[in-house]
Amino acid sequence: IFAVVIWEAVIIALLFLLRMGSGSGKKENAFEDKITAIENERREIEVFVNADSDYVEQPGEHRWNRDADDQKVKIYIYPESSDDSIHEEYYYWDGNCTYARTWTDNNEFDQYYYDEDGILIRWIDKDGNWHDQETENREFLDRGQYYWNKALEEMGKMQNGISD
């Protein structure tokens, strides 16, 4: 009887571990699917921007590319207009900033991926290190909020036709 109880406990534990493992795989796949969707949107915006000759530019300040219904928008901020004296790009899909990229004249890029609620889900730093959903990382959280707020501000300027 004791051996049967032990085997049942082992089987239950294995089933429990298998179920936990399959659940975490689904979560990881959903995260990677979200990143892939953001990358696809970014590429589609780039294709649109490269084909778009009807952009608005404030030389030395902003360049705004947007389609007729603002589904695809890219805003570029020149370093002279940037609060941080860097190049800034913000990509919007259906009115939400989903991707941002900043860089220096030395081509040191930082990339930011946002979910639909404006939460930073991935930051790729200038050294190419990936930071995914690091909710305990103060720099991750601060950068996410900082560039999200800037993205909102720039979208407001574009919609109102305002430049600095």
Short mmCIF file of all heavy atoms in Angstrom, two decimals, residues 77-106:
data_model
loop_
_atom_site.label_atom_id
_atom_site.label_comp_id
_atom_site.label_asym_id
_atom_site.label_seq_id
_atom_site.Cartn_x
_atom_site.Cartn_y
_atom_site.Cartn_z
N ILE A 77 12.42 63.00 -34.40
CA ILE A 77 12.81 64.23 -33.70
C ILE A 77 14.31 64.42 -33.95
O ILE A 77 15.12 63.56 -33.64
CB ILE A 77 12.57 64.14 -32.18
CG1 ILE A 77 11.18 63.61 -31.86
CG2 ILE A 77 12.85 65.48 -31.51
CD1 ILE A 77 10.05 64.39 -32.42
N TYR A 78 14.65 65.57 -34.51
CA TYR A 78 16.06 65.90 -34.73
C TYR A 78 16.75 66.15 -33.40
O TYR A 78 16.13 66.64 -32.45
CB TYR A 78 16.17 67.13 -35.62
CG TYR A 78 15.72 66.91 -37.04
CD1 TYR A 78 14.40 67.15 -37.41
CD2 TYR A 78 16.60 66.45 -38.00
CE1 TYR A 78 13.98 66.94 -38.71
CE2 TYR A 78 16.19 66.24 -39.30
CZ TYR A 78 14.88 66.48 -39.65
OH TYR A 78 14.46 66.26 -40.95
N PRO A 79 18.06 65.86 -33.31
CA PRO A 79 18.78 66.07 -32.05
C PRO A 79 18.69 67.51 -31.53
O PRO A 79 18.64 67.72 -30.32
CB PRO A 79 20.23 65.71 -32.39
CG PRO A 79 20.15 64.82 -33.57
CD PRO A 79 18.93 65.27 -34.34
N GLU A 80 18.62 68.47 -32.43
CA GLU A 80 18.55 69.87 -32.01
C GLU A 80 17.26 70.16 -31.22
O GLU A 80 17.21 71.08 -30.43
CB GLU A 80 18.62 70.81 -33.22
CG GLU A 80 19.90 70.70 -34.01
CD GLU A 80 19.91 69.54 -35.01
OE1 GLU A 80 18.82 69.10 -35.47
OE2 GLU A 80 21.00 69.05 -35.32
N SER A 81 16.22 69.37 -31.48
CA SER A 81 14.93 69.55 -30.81
C SER A 81 14.72 68.59 -29.66
O SER A 81 13.78 68.74 -28.89
CB SER A 81 13.79 69.34 -31.80
OG SER A 81 13.28 70.54 -32.23
N SER A 82 15.56 67.60 -29.55
CA SER A 82 15.43 66.58 -28.51
C SER A 82 15.88 67.14 -27.17
O SER A 82 16.90 67.82 -27.07
CB SER A 82 16.28 65.36 -28.88
OG SER A 82 16.42 64.50 -27.78
N ASP A 83 15.12 66.84 -26.13
CA ASP A 83 15.51 67.25 -24.78
C ASP A 83 16.85 66.64 -24.39
O ASP A 83 17.56 67.17 -23.54
CB ASP A 83 14.46 66.80 -23.76
CG ASP A 83 13.13 67.50 -23.97
OD1 ASP A 83 13.11 68.61 -24.55
OD2 ASP A 83 12.09 66.93 -23.56
N ASP A 84 17.19 65.51 -25.00
CA ASP A 84 18.41 64.78 -24.67
C ASP A 84 19.49 64.93 -25.73
O ASP A 84 20.51 64.24 -25.66
CB ASP A 84 18.08 63.30 -24.46
CG ASP A 84 17.00 63.11 -23.41
OD1 ASP A 84 17.09 63.76 -22.36
OD2 ASP A 84 16.07 62.33 -23.65
N SER A 85 19.24 65.77 -26.74
CA SER A 85 20.19 65.99 -27.84
C SER A 85 20.54 64.70 -28.57
O SER A 85 21.69 64.47 -28.93
CB SER A 85 21.46 66.69 -27.35
OG SER A 85 21.13 67.93 -26.78
N ILE A 86 19.54 63.86 -28.79
CA ILE A 86 19.72 62.60 -29.51
C ILE A 86 18.67 62.50 -30.60
O ILE A 86 17.69 63.25 -30.61
CB ILE A 86 19.62 61.38 -28.57
CG1 ILE A 86 18.26 61.35 -27.86
CG2 ILE A 86 20.78 61.35 -27.57
CD1 ILE A 86 18.01 60.12 -27.01
N HIS A 87 18.86 61.56 -31.51
CA HIS A 87 17.84 61.25 -32.52
C HIS A 87 16.76 60.42 -31.83
O HIS A 87 17.07 59.51 -31.07
CB HIS A 87 18.45 60.43 -33.66
CG HIS A 87 19.60 61.09 -34.34
ND1 HIS A 87 19.46 61.86 -35.46
CD2 HIS A 87 20.93 61.08 -34.05
CE1 HIS A 87 20.65 62.30 -35.84
NE2 HIS A 87 21.56 61.85 -35.00
N GLU A 88 15.50 60.72 -32.13
CA GLU A 88 14.39 59.98 -31.55
C GLU A 88 13.40 59.64 -32.66
O GLU A 88 13.09 60.49 -33.50
CB GLU A 88 13.65 60.81 -30.51
CG GLU A 88 14.50 61.25 -29.34
CD GLU A 88 13.75 62.19 -28.40
OE1 GLU A 88 12.53 62.02 -28.22
OE2 GLU A 88 14.39 63.10 -27.86
N GLU A 89 12.93 58.40 -32.66
CA GLU A 89 11.87 57.98 -33.57
C GLU A 89 10.78 57.28 -32.77
O GLU A 89 11.09 56.47 -31.88
CB GLU A 89 12.39 57.00 -34.63
CG GLU A 89 13.26 57.62 -35.66
CD GLU A 89 13.73 56.62 -36.70
OE1 GLU A 89 13.84 55.42 -36.39
OE2 GLU A 89 13.98 57.06 -37.82
N TYR A 90 9.55 57.60 -33.10
CA TYR A 90 8.40 56.98 -32.46
C TYR A 90 7.50 56.41 -33.54
O TYR A 90 7.17 57.09 -34.51
CB TYR A 90 7.64 58.00 -31.61
CG TYR A 90 8.51 58.60 -30.53
CD1 TYR A 90 9.15 59.82 -30.71
CD2 TYR A 90 8.73 57.90 -29.35
CE1 TYR A 90 9.98 60.34 -29.74
CE2 TYR A 90 9.56 58.41 -28.36
CZ TYR A 90 10.18 59.64 -28.57
OH TYR A 90 11.01 60.14 -27.60
N TYR A 91 7.10 55.15 -33.37
CA TYR A 91 6.25 54.45 -34.32
C TYR A 91 4.90 54.19 -33.66
O TYR A 91 4.86 53.65 -32.55
CB TYR A 91 6.87 53.12 -34.72
CG TYR A 91 8.14 53.26 -35.52
CD1 TYR A 91 9.33 53.68 -34.94
CD2 TYR A 91 8.15 52.96 -36.87
CE1 TYR A 91 10.50 53.80 -35.68
CE2 TYR A 91 9.32 53.07 -37.62
CZ TYR A 91 10.48 53.48 -37.02
OH TYR A 91 11.63 53.60 -37.76
N TYR A 92 3.84 54.56 -34.35
CA TYR A 92 2.49 54.42 -33.81
C TYR A 92 1.66 53.54 -34.74
O TYR A 92 1.72 53.70 -35.97
CB TYR A 92 1.80 55.78 -33.71
CG TYR A 92 2.57 56.80 -32.91
CD1 TYR A 92 3.60 57.53 -33.49
CD2 TYR A 92 2.26 57.04 -31.58
CE1 TYR A 92 4.31 58.47 -32.77
CE2 TYR A 92 2.96 57.99 -30.85
CZ TYR A 92 3.98 58.70 -31.44
OH TYR A 92 4.68 59.64 -30.73
N TRP A 93 0.88 52.66 -34.15
CA TRP A 93 -0.03 51.81 -34.91
C TRP A 93 -1.40 52.00 -34.29
O TRP A 93 -1.59 51.77 -33.10
CB TRP A 93 0.42 50.34 -34.81
CG TRP A 93 -0.32 49.45 -35.73
CD1 TRP A 93 -1.43 48.71 -35.44
CD2 TRP A 93 -0.02 49.19 -37.10
NE1 TRP A 93 -1.83 48.01 -36.53
CE2 TRP A 93 -0.98 48.29 -37.57
CE3 TRP A 93 0.98 49.64 -37.96
CZ2 TRP A 93 -0.98 47.83 -38.88
CZ3 TRP A 93 0.97 49.18 -39.26
CH2 TRP A 93 0.01 48.29 -39.71
N ASP A 94 -2.34 52.43 -35.09
CA ASP A 94 -3.71 52.71 -34.62
C ASP A 94 -3.71 53.64 -33.41
O ASP A 94 -4.45 53.45 -32.45
CB ASP A 94 -4.45 51.41 -34.27
CG ASP A 94 -4.90 50.67 -35.51
OD1 ASP A 94 -5.07 51.30 -36.57
OD2 ASP A 94 -5.08 49.44 -35.42
N GLY A 95 -2.86 54.66 -33.45
CA GLY A 95 -2.85 55.67 -32.40
C GLY A 95 -2.02 55.34 -31.18
O GLY A 95 -1.88 56.18 -30.29
N ASN A 96 -1.47 54.13 -31.11
CA ASN A 96 -0.65 53.74 -29.95
C ASN A 96 0.81 53.65 -30.35
O ASN A 96 1.14 53.05 -31.38
CB ASN A 96 -1.08 52.37 -29.41
CG ASN A 96 -2.44 52.40 -28.79
OD1 ASN A 96 -2.78 53.33 -28.07
ND2 ASN A 96 -3.23 51.39 -29.07
N CYS A 97 1.68 54.19 -29.53
CA CYS A 97 3.11 54.02 -29.76
C CYS A 97 3.46 52.58 -29.39
O CYS A 97 3.22 52.15 -28.27
CB CYS A 97 3.93 54.99 -28.92
SG CYS A 97 5.70 54.82 -29.18
N THR A 98 3.98 51.84 -30.35
CA THR A 98 4.35 50.45 -30.09
C THR A 98 5.86 50.26 -30.10
O THR A 98 6.35 49.26 -29.58
CB THR A 98 3.72 49.52 -31.13
OG1 THR A 98 4.15 49.92 -32.44
CG2 THR A 98 2.21 49.55 -31.06
N TYR A 99 6.58 51.22 -30.68
CA TYR A 99 8.03 51.06 -30.82
C TYR A 99 8.67 52.44 -30.82
O TYR A 99 8.13 53.38 -31.39
CB TYR A 99 8.34 50.35 -32.14
CG TYR A 99 9.80 50.18 -32.45
CD1 TYR A 99 10.54 49.14 -31.90
CD2 TYR A 99 10.45 51.06 -33.31
CE1 TYR A 99 11.89 48.98 -32.20
CE2 TYR A 99 11.80 50.91 -33.61
CZ TYR A 99 12.51 49.86 -33.05
OH TYR A 99 13.83 49.72 -33.34
N ALA A 100 9.79 52.54 -30.15
CA ALA A 100 10.57 53.78 -30.17
C ALA A 100 12.04 53.40 -30.30
O ALA A 100 12.45 52.33 -29.87
CB ALA A 100 10.34 54.58 -28.88
N ARG A 101 12.77 54.31 -30.92
CA ARG A 101 14.21 54.08 -31.10
C ARG A 101 14.91 55.41 -30.88
O ARG A 101 14.46 56.45 -31.35
CB ARG A 101 14.45 53.57 -32.51
CG ARG A 101 15.89 53.36 -32.88
CD ARG A 101 16.10 52.66 -34.17
NE ARG A 101 15.27 53.14 -35.26
CZ ARG A 101 15.01 52.45 -36.36
NH1 ARG A 101 15.50 51.24 -36.51
NH2 ARG A 101 14.25 52.94 -37.31
N THR A 102 16.00 55.37 -30.13
CA THR A 102 16.81 56.56 -29.91
C THR A 102 18.25 56.21 -30.22
O THR A 102 18.66 55.05 -30.08
CB THR A 102 16.71 57.04 -28.45
OG1 THR A 102 17.20 56.04 -27.57
CG2 THR A 102 15.27 57.41 -28.09
N TRP A 103 19.01 57.21 -30.67
CA TRP A 103 20.42 56.96 -30.94
C TRP A 103 21.21 58.25 -30.92
O TRP A 103 20.67 59.33 -31.07
CB TRP A 103 20.63 56.19 -32.24
CG TRP A 103 20.33 56.93 -33.50
CD1 TRP A 103 21.22 57.57 -34.31
CD2 TRP A 103 19.07 57.08 -34.15
NE1 TRP A 103 20.60 58.11 -35.41
CE2 TRP A 103 19.26 57.82 -35.33
CE3 TRP A 103 17.77 56.66 -33.85
CZ2 TRP A 103 18.24 58.15 -36.21
CZ3 TRP A 103 16.75 56.99 -34.72
CH2 TRP A 103 16.99 57.72 -35.87
N THR A 104 22.50 58.07 -30.72
CA THR A 104 23.43 59.19 -30.73
C THR A 104 24.07 59.28 -32.11
O THR A 104 23.85 58.42 -32.97
CB THR A 104 24.54 58.97 -29.68
OG1 THR A 104 25.31 57.83 -30.06
CG2 THR A 104 23.96 58.78 -28.29
N ASP A 105 24.87 60.30 -32.31
CA ASP A 105 25.59 60.42 -33.57
C ASP A 105 26.59 59.29 -33.77
O ASP A 105 27.06 59.06 -34.88
CB ASP A 105 26.29 61.78 -33.67
CG ASP A 105 25.30 62.92 -33.90
OD1 ASP A 105 24.21 62.66 -34.46
OD2 ASP A 105 25.61 64.06 -33.52
N ASN A 106 26.93 58.59 -32.70
CA ASN A 106 27.83 57.43 -32.78
C ASN A 106 27.08 56.15 -33.13
O ASN A 106 27.66 55.07 -33.06
CB ASN A 106 28.56 57.23 -31.45
CG ASN A 106 29.45 58.39 -31.11
OD1 ASN A 106 29.94 59.09 -31.99
ND2 ASN A 106 29.63 58.63 -29.83
#
